[in-house]
Amino acid sequence: GNTVAGSGSNGGEVLRRTRELNTVIGAFRPNYTLNDDEMTYEKFKEFMAKYEAEKAELPPKYDLPEFKSAVAKKITDGTRPQSLVSREEVAIMIERAIKT
């Protein structure tokens, strides 16, 4: 690899080669200071809620006839096309697709 033997993932010395013959320059990785206690479960839930809300507002990524057909057949209502989907929602859509 391009790290010095014994270097850790944080702060280890990384070797960078230059275009000059046989020249190696030592450089150091940034000292990452994010502690595990900085990200709480409550903060994580806030970030996920914000992420899910943003995804729910996005329009369909692709203009596919299959998606339009699924909406027309009432397999899905067509809302939140880029959102995460639960197993419950998948099961409902599968059942609706079988019935059509």
Side-chain angles (χ1 to χ4, degrees):
N2 61 349
T3 58
V4 174
S7 65
S9 61
N10 290 332
E13 187 174 354
V14 177
L15 300 178
R16 183 186 306 162
R17 292 188 174 96
T18 66
R19 295 199 184 274
E20 298 174 23
L21 293 176
N22 299 327
T23 304
V24 176
I25 300 171
F28 291 89
R29 292 182 180 162
N31 185 11
Y32 300 105
T33 58
L34 178 65
N35 295 324
D36 289 338
D37 60 354
E38 291 178 15
M39 176 54 75
T40 64
Y41 180 64
E42 294 303 317
K43 285 183 183 178
F44 172 76
K45 289 194 311 185
E46 287 176 27
F47 288 135
M48 281 303 296
K50 181 179 177 184
Y51 172 77
E52 289 175 347
E54 289 172 358
K55 291 291 277 184
E57 295 296 320
L58 294 175
K61 196 172 194 176
Y62 307 105
D63 188 26
L64 296 175
E66 293 88 352
F67 183 71
K68 292 176 183 176
S69 175
V71 173
K73 293 176 183 176
K74 299 193 186 298
I75 295 169
T76 181
D77 61 7
T79 61
R80 305 178 300 118
Q82 290 196 43
S83 292
L84 300 174
V85 62
S86 69
R87 288 182 176 94
E88 180 181 31
E89 292 170 314
V90 169
I92 291 167
M93 288 187 285
I94 290 171
E95 284 295 317
R96 289 176 181 170
I98 291 170
K99 291 177 183 178
T100 60

